[in-house]
Amino acid sequence: MSNSPVSGEVQQQLFHWPVAPYLSVENDAPIVQLWVADGVDATQVFVRAEPDNEEFLVPMTVVSQQPGWKLYQAELPVNPAEATTVYCFKVLTSSGQLWLDAAGESPYMPMREQQFKLLLDVQPPSWVPQQVFYQIFVERFCNGDPSTDMAKGAYQQRDSGVAIAKEWGEPISPESKNREFYGGDLAGVTSKLDYLQSLGVTALYLNPVFTSPSVHKYDIEDYENVDPCFGGNQALADLTESLHQRGMKVLLDAVFNHASDTHPWFNRWGTQDSVGAYQGKESPYFDYYTFMDPENPDSDFCWQGSKVIPVLNLGHPELKAYFFDAPDSITRRWMQPPYNIDGWRVDVIHMMGEGPHADNNAKVLGQMREAIKETNPEGYFLGEHFFENTRWTQGEIEDGAMNYYGFALPVRAFLANQDVNYHPHQLSAEQLSQWLTQTRSRTPYANQLCQLNLLDTHDTARFFTMLKEDEALMRLAVVLLMTYPGVPCLYYGDEIGLTGENDPYNRACFIWDETEWNTPLWQHYQQMIQLRQQTSALQTGGYQTVYAKQDGFAFVRFDQSNTVLIAINRNATEPLVIDLPEWLALLPSGAAAWQVSVGAASQAATQLSVPPSGFVVMQR
């Protein structure tokens, strides 16, 4: 099925982007600009704001013109009572009205949630959009210090059995998946920093590193010490120092919603030198948890029915002090010397609360945010959400989220024909664009640039496996990952072509024998990462869809120095043909010729052809 070069083209007549110069702040006064096509026949143009939660229309005046277009400008009144100022544009025409919000044009006033959003007093960390993150499941990345292997000996026997030591790269056994230890550690991560930098990685996100009985370590039994199998606290200090000497950043995984049943606070197995909550109401930690029947210790409220991780009651003042409020709280401690981590990724952040049902979630997260920002105003507060996350990413809670809903899931449906549950689900390019636009328009753009875009993680099958190891489609996915608004994150081993279905197979050992790598895929990752690092527009630039139809999707990223056009063609047999719209001339370097940076395409004066299963990234 071939793609029409016309019907998928964006025919928009109003353009505003929440980046400079279309949104700028001069002497504390925000200035907004709006392009209006002459064909609109505008009689009056307004920017609409709500400085006191009431409508305020500000007339806009023409400050510049291009053939067929006029540029309007006005000062935007801010709302001093809120962190976020919302605004949109209203155009009166000889025949009606036309409105523009962050989701596009409409003939009527838009809902507040999809209007443009300006943050003045609350900003995400300035360094985040420039990064390329790399997620490391530490136990399976690299064994850098064999002397720490099984440093705790045979872990506490629980209902799942004792730990098993295995040789690096041996197959994973599903019946003992969380008890098989291969020896990966933090010294191994430190030893591979040259490799990561050669790929282009600038920041790490580490799965939990604190003492825990399992491989995955989401069941923490000691928040104050790095697991001995990972090398202990000194290994983390050595790693963070090496990272910072190289100008790299690091996030740790905060698992504060629940703790291990082997934690002294709970002590289900009676192996700790404490009277845990499981021992009864006489325990000083009994109220750290919630029991449906206070007389039955097995009635504890646990995460997703998993008895090994009882849920913590973060409404308890002692727990709040321990995790957030106290000067030496866990959140603050690891952000200070000698570790100086650069932020936290927070596990199941939407479930954290005062009691077992996420009660007062925003209050609890506000306390964690305060602890992070007081310790380091540029600390990154990243939340895990598998589903829609815009409630938490309005600027006042999280800086960004693991962007499953706003990136990974729509891309999965478009390229791998699966939904979040791996059910059949195929999107057209039009539907992909609609999904992306819907979520992007509900987030302040500064926070959109800090959304952690990803293709897969330790909680999903590997994307290459979802694609049935189709390298052409994987290349398209990598192009989207490195060019779409947000900060990209690779899951360890994706770049060499590691495969694997869901847990435990998605957590296999990294293969360090380069003869076994998918070298062309690795080179593609490296090339796309390099392009992103060299192109400011791909880091902090604006976004506009150019074309979305059937198998073809194209968009531009731009800032005041250059414009980048990205086009992908999912169709394996037919080229994608796009008529380049005239409005592209409004963007920087509008008169310059396009130059291909990566990929392949043929180009006439105003038309672009992308080969089957192909892509192109062009700049001017």
Side-chain angles (χ1 to χ4, degrees), residues 192-428:
K192 297 301 182 180
L193 294 184
D194 284 345
Y195 163 76
L196 293 171
Q197 285 194 303
S198 72
L199 181 61
V201 169
T202 62
L204 303 185
Y205 151 43
L206 305 180
N207 285 109
V209 300
F210 302 119
T211 304
S212 155
S214 70
V215 169
H216 56 72
K217 306 208 177 300
Y218 284 95
D219 51 346
I220 295 172
E221 66 181 23
D222 182 358
Y223 290 92
E224 300 177 35
N225 288 287
V226 172
D227 197 292
C229 284
F230 287 174
N233 293 0
Q234 187 59 49
L236 180 62
D238 292 343
L239 171 60
T240 57
E241 181 180 8
S242 296
L243 286 166
H244 291 149
Q245 286 177 348
R246 296 167 180 257
M248 300 175 73
K249 306 285 188 178
V250 61
L251 302 183
L252 292 189
D253 212 327
V255 189
F256 297 164
N257 178 70
H258 46 262
S260 175
D261 62 352
T262 61
H263 195 290
W265 295 337
F266 201 78
N267 198 14
R268 181 186 296 273
W269 305 95
T271 56
Q272 303 288 349
D273 186 19
S274 67
V275 179
Y278 191 81
Q279 278 73 57
K281 289 185 285 186
E282 69 275 12
S283 169
Y285 311 114
F286 188 79
D287 291 334
Y288 284 17
Y289 302 88
T290 301
F291 294 88
M292 290 169 275
D293 178 0
E295 304 302 324
N296 178 8
D298 288 315
S299 70
D300 58 292
F301 190 87
C302 51
W303 184 80
Q304 300 287 290
S306 177
K307 284 295 182 181
V308 298
I309 43 177
V311 171
L312 294 165
N313 171 22
L314 294 175
H316 197 293
E318 292 177 6
L319 278 182
K320 284 187 177 179
Y322 182 80
F323 284 120
F324 315 129
D325 292 345
D328 64 343
S329 67
I330 296 301
T331 297
R332 301 171 192 264
R333 181 182 311 179
W334 297 100
M335 296 183 72
Q336 297 171 343
Y339 313 104
N340 299 308
I341 70 166
D342 300 288
W344 291 97
R345 177 269 191 188
V346 186
D347 187 55
V348 294
I349 192 169
H350 49 283
M351 302 180 75
M352 292 168 58
E354 298 180 335
H357 300 293
D359 298 322
N360 298 319
N361 173 258
K363 175 184 174 183
V364 171
L365 300 185
Q367 291 168 321
M368 185 170 184
R369 179 183 177 88
E370 183 178 359
I372 290 173
K373 301 301 180 180
E374 284 183 353
T375 309
N376 178 3
E378 284 283 282
Y380 187 22
F381 188 22
L382 174 71
E384 180 206 22
H385 301 274
F386 246 91
F387 302 101
E388 194 268 329
N389 58 59
T390 55
R391 169 182 164 189
W392 290 269
T393 55
Q394 295 303 304
E396 296 176 274
I397 300 180
E398 299 170 25
D399 296 315
M402 296 189 73
N403 203 18
Y404 286 101
Y405 186 81
F407 181 80
L409 298 184
V411 170
R412 180 190 299 189
F414 183 66
L415 294 178
N417 304 331
Q418 301 176 38
D419 71 4
V420 64
N421 297 305
Y422 306 96
H423 295 155
H425 187 208
Q426 185 178 76
L427 294 182
S428 66

Side-chain angles (χ1 to χ4, degrees), residues 83-129:
T84 304
T85 290
V86 299
Y87 66 99
C88 60
F89 298 92
K90 178 180 184 179
V91 178
L92 302 183
T93 74
S94 57
S95 59
Q97 296 184 7
L98 189 60
W99 292 74
L100 180 70
D101 59 42
E105 294 177 357
S106 65
Y108 48 80
M109 182 190 303
M111 294 186 296
R112 191 178 196 275
E113 65 180 5
Q114 66 187 45
Q115 295 185 36
F116 295 104
K117 298 175 179 67
L118 170 65
L119 300 174
L120 288 176
D121 297 329
V122 178
Q123 291 288 330
S126 59
W127 57 269
V128 171

Side-chain angles (χ1 to χ4, degrees), residues 31 45 49 81 114 125 152 210 255 274 297 299 369 390 475 478 513 516 528 531 588 598:
I31 305 296
V45 178
Q114 66 187 45
K152 290 182 65 182
F210 302 119
V255 189
S274 67
S299 70
R369 179 183 177 88
T390 55
R475 288 171 182 268
V478 175
D513 181 353
E516 298 184 37
M528 288 306 305
L531 176 65
V598 182

